[in-house]
Amino acid sequence: MTIGSILLAASAVLVLLGVGQRVLDKMRLSDRAALILIAAMFVGGLIPDIRLGLVRINIGGALIPLGVCVYLLVSADEAAERVRGILGALITAGVVYLLSRVMPSEPENIILDPVYACGVAGGIVGYVLGRSRRGAFISGVMGVLLADLITAIVVWAGGVSQPLTLGGAGIFDTAVISGIIAVLLAEIIGETLERAARANGVAPNPARVHMPRKGRDK
């Protein structure tokens, strides 16, 4: 199993144990919906890719995650959150692409596998730009997939007819790592800031803490 599959399996176990319910609530996903999506990503990875010319779209690694991102965008309470998610995805894509270009390609010079490095970078940038749980997830996951697309476009522009498997192989792992890290940072940092505000007797400011009012995720 790849690191992405292992993380998805671990996420499924946590959902079954009731851990992370607060995060799912803020992303407007039920336990059942989360488990169905995780299972769909596993199964979708075994189904033949959708072919569109030089582009091959992996169902479990690209189509389903993108569908989740679209749902999160549509279900956002405010237009500002949608804008943050989209802009965050574009900027994250740029950061991940540039990082992938500057990292050494020689195995003996690689300190951290590019899959992990880009995934971690995507998650951190996704959180900073997305701010909310939904925005962080959108920025992290879509950013990685867009970075893969940018790489393919650059290669095609150079006259190389190289097929692109969107969401396949290492990109799937990178996207999963990025999405999970982005959401975890949004949850941990947001919770920490909210508790600190309460301990100081100050009402938490959602604009600064990025914690929603009841039923909202700003």
Side-chain angles (χ1 to χ4, degrees), residues 27-58:
M27 295 179 70
R28 295 185 178 175
L29 290 172
S30 64
D31 289 357
R32 173 181 289 185
L35 290 173
I36 290 176
L37 288 172
I38 291 173
M41 290 178 68
F42 272 114
V43 175
L46 303 176
I47 299 175
D49 299 334
I50 299 174
R51 299 192 177 190
L52 300 171
L54 289 176
V55 179
R56 299 176 182 178
I57 303 175
N58 186 281

Side-chain angles (χ1 to χ4, degrees), residues 190-216:
E191 176 68 14
T192 300
L193 292 176
E194 183 183 58
R195 291 188 178 184
R198 288 176 177 172
N200 293 329
V202 179
N205 184 345
R208 296 180 57 190
V209 180
H210 313 318
M211 295 294 294
R213 298 175 183 173
K214 187 175 182 180
R216 297 171 65 88

